[in-house]
PDB file of all heavy atoms in Angstrom:
ATOM      1  N   THR A  28     -63.766  21.022 136.386  1.00 98.00           N
ATOM      2  CA  THR A  28     -64.975  21.671 135.842  1.00 98.00           C
ATOM      3  C   THR A  28     -64.615  22.509 134.613  1.00 98.00           C
ATOM      4  O   THR A  28     -65.499  22.975 133.906  1.00 98.00           O
ATOM      5  CB  THR A  28     -65.621  22.611 136.887  1.00 98.00           C
ATOM      6  OG1 THR A  28     -64.622  23.522 137.340  1.00 98.00           O
ATOM      7  CG2 THR A  28     -66.211  21.845 138.038  1.00 98.00           C
ATOM      8  N   PRO A  53     -65.955  17.103 142.092  1.00 98.00           N
ATOM      9  CA  PRO A  53     -65.396  18.081 141.162  1.00 98.00           C
ATOM     10  C   PRO A  53     -64.123  18.678 141.767  1.00 98.00           C
ATOM     11  O   PRO A  53     -64.094  18.966 142.965  1.00 98.00           O
ATOM     12  CB  PRO A  53     -66.484  19.147 141.061  1.00 98.00           C
ATOM     13  CG  PRO A  53     -67.705  18.547 141.648  1.00 98.00           C
ATOM     14  CD  PRO A  53     -67.285  17.479 142.595  1.00 98.00           C
ATOM     15  N   TYR A  56     -63.895  21.569 144.561  1.00 98.00           N
ATOM     16  CA  TYR A  56     -65.219  21.928 145.108  1.00 98.00           C
ATOM     17  C   TYR A  56     -65.737  20.792 145.973  1.00 98.00           C
ATOM     18  O   TYR A  56     -65.354  19.635 145.781  1.00 98.00           O
ATOM     19  CB  TYR A  56     -66.224  22.163 143.974  1.00 98.00           C
ATOM     20  CG  TYR A  56     -65.841  23.295 143.058  1.00 98.00           C
ATOM     21  CD1 TYR A  56     -65.107  23.041 141.894  1.00 98.00           C
ATOM     22  CD2 TYR A  56     -66.202  24.601 143.352  1.00 98.00           C
ATOM     23  CE1 TYR A  56     -64.747  24.070 141.047  1.00 98.00           C
ATOM     24  CE2 TYR A  56     -65.847  25.641 142.502  1.00 98.00           C
ATOM     25  CZ  TYR A  56     -65.124  25.367 141.348  1.00 98.00           C
ATOM     26  OH  TYR A  56     -64.768  26.386 140.521  1.00 98.00           O
ATOM     27  N   ILE A  58     -69.182  20.400 146.194  1.00 98.00           N
ATOM     28  CA  ILE A  58     -70.582  20.206 145.770  1.00 98.00           C
ATOM     29  C   ILE A  58     -70.568  19.282 144.547  1.00 98.00           C
ATOM     30  O   ILE A  58     -69.912  19.607 143.542  1.00 98.00           O
ATOM     31  CB  ILE A  58     -71.237  21.561 145.415  1.00 98.00           C
ATOM     32  CG1 ILE A  58     -71.268  22.479 146.659  1.00 98.00           C
ATOM     33  CG2 ILE A  58     -72.629  21.356 144.832  1.00 98.00           C
ATOM     34  CD1 ILE A  58     -71.801  23.880 146.390  1.00 98.00           C
ATOM     35  N   PRO A  59     -71.249  18.121 144.608  1.00 98.00           N
ATOM     36  CA  PRO A  59     -71.253  17.229 143.439  1.00 98.00           C
ATOM     37  C   PRO A  59     -72.018  17.839 142.262  1.00 98.00           C
ATOM     38  O   PRO A  59     -72.869  18.723 142.448  1.00 98.00           O
ATOM     39  CB  PRO A  59     -71.971  15.968 143.938  1.00 98.00           C
ATOM     40  CG  PRO A  59     -72.379  16.220 145.330  1.00 98.00           C
ATOM     41  CD  PRO A  59     -71.987  17.601 145.742  1.00 98.00           C
ATOM     42  N   VAL A  60     -71.711  17.350 141.059  1.00 98.00           N
ATOM     43  CA  VAL A  60     -72.332  17.871 139.833  1.00 98.00           C
ATOM     44  C   VAL A  60     -73.047  16.723 139.119  1.00 98.00           C
ATOM     45  O   VAL A  60     -72.487  15.642 138.973  1.00 98.00           O
ATOM     46  CB  VAL A  60     -71.264  18.466 138.886  1.00 98.00           C
ATOM     47  CG1 VAL A  60     -71.900  18.939 137.585  1.00 98.00           C
ATOM     48  CG2 VAL A  60     -70.516  19.620 139.560  1.00 98.00           C
ATOM     49  N   ARG A 135     -67.669  29.117 145.284  1.00 97.00           N
ATOM     50  CA  ARG A 135     -67.806  27.789 145.928  1.00 97.00           C
ATOM     51  C   ARG A 135     -68.649  26.832 145.099  1.00 97.00           C
ATOM     52  O   ARG A 135     -68.729  25.646 145.368  1.00 97.00           O
ATOM     53  CB  ARG A 135     -68.476  27.943 147.306  1.00 97.00           C
ATOM     54  CG  ARG A 135     -67.610  28.554 148.396  1.00 97.00           C
ATOM     55  CD  ARG A 135     -68.271  28.414 149.757  1.00 97.00           C
ATOM     56  NE  ARG A 135     -69.692  28.733 149.743  1.00 97.00           N
ATOM     57  CZ  ARG A 135     -70.684  27.846 149.711  1.00 97.00           C
ATOM     58  NH1 ARG A 135     -70.440  26.572 149.725  1.00 97.00           N
ATOM     59  NH2 ARG A 135     -71.939  28.245 149.694  1.00 97.00           N
ATOM     60  N   ILE A 136     -69.320  27.403 144.082  1.00 98.00           N
ATOM     61  CA  ILE A 136     -70.234  26.568 143.272  1.00 98.00           C
ATOM     62  C   ILE A 136     -69.473  26.040 142.052  1.00 98.00           C
ATOM     63  O   ILE A 136     -68.792  26.813 141.369  1.00 98.00           O
ATOM     64  CB  ILE A 136     -71.466  27.413 142.829  1.00 98.00           C
ATOM     65  CG1 ILE A 136     -72.138  28.027 144.060  1.00 98.00           C
ATOM     66  CG2 ILE A 136     -72.438  26.579 142.032  1.00 98.00           C
ATOM     67  CD1 ILE A 136     -73.262  28.998 143.747  1.00 98.00           C
ATOM     68  N   PRO A 137     -69.570  24.743 141.765  1.00 98.00           N
ATOM     69  CA  PRO A 137     -68.745  24.156 140.694  1.00 98.00           C
ATOM     70  C   PRO A 137     -69.293  24.459 139.287  1.00 98.00           C
ATOM     71  O   PRO A 137     -69.709  23.561 138.554  1.00 98.00           O
ATOM     72  CB  PRO A 137     -68.804  22.653 140.994  1.00 98.00           C
ATOM     73  CG  PRO A 137     -70.082  22.469 141.720  1.00 98.00           C
ATOM     74  CD  PRO A 137     -70.364  23.722 142.476  1.00 98.00           C
ATOM     75  N   VAL A 138     -69.270  25.724 138.938  1.00 98.00           N
ATOM     76  CA  VAL A 138     -69.808  26.140 137.635  1.00 98.00           C
ATOM     77  C   VAL A 138     -68.800  25.747 136.541  1.00 98.00           C
ATOM     78  O   VAL A 138     -67.605  26.005 136.675  1.00 98.00           O
ATOM     79  CB  VAL A 138     -70.050  27.669 137.625  1.00 98.00           C
ATOM     80  CG1 VAL A 138     -70.637  28.102 136.295  1.00 98.00           C
ATOM     81  CG2 VAL A 138     -70.964  28.061 138.781  1.00 98.00           C
ATOM     82  N   CYS A 139     -69.308  25.114 135.476  1.00 98.00           N
ATOM     83  CA  CYS A 139     -68.416  24.534 134.464  1.00 98.00           C
ATOM     84  C   CYS A 139     -68.121  25.504 133.325  1.00 98.00           C
ATOM     85  O   CYS A 139     -68.955  26.341 132.975  1.00 98.00           O
ATOM     86  CB  CYS A 139     -69.056  23.289 133.854  1.00 98.00           C
ATOM     87  SG  CYS A 139     -69.462  22.039 135.069  1.00 98.00           S
ATOM     88  N   TYR A 306     -75.254  20.233 142.120  1.00 98.00           N
ATOM     89  CA  TYR A 306     -75.278  21.260 141.075  1.00 98.00           C
ATOM     90  C   TYR A 306     -75.547  20.606 139.716  1.00 98.00           C
ATOM     91  O   TYR A 306     -74.854  19.649 139.334  1.00 98.00           O
ATOM     92  CB  TYR A 306     -73.915  21.982 141.058  1.00 98.00           C
ATOM     93  CG  TYR A 306     -73.799  22.990 139.944  1.00 98.00           C
ATOM     94  CD1 TYR A 306     -74.267  24.287 140.101  1.00 98.00           C
ATOM     95  CD2 TYR A 306     -73.226  22.645 138.708  1.00 98.00           C
ATOM     96  CE1 TYR A 306     -74.171  25.213 139.070  1.00 98.00           C
ATOM     97  CE2 TYR A 306     -73.133  23.564 137.681  1.00 98.00           C
ATOM     98  CZ  TYR A 306     -73.603  24.840 137.872  1.00 98.00           C
ATOM     99  OH  TYR A 306     -73.523  25.752 136.842  1.00 98.00           O
TER     100      TYR A 306
END
Side-chain angles (χ1 to χ4, degrees):
T28 54
Y56 299 93
I58 298 176
V60 177
R135 287 191 316 100
I136 305 174
V138 181
C139 303
Y306 176 85

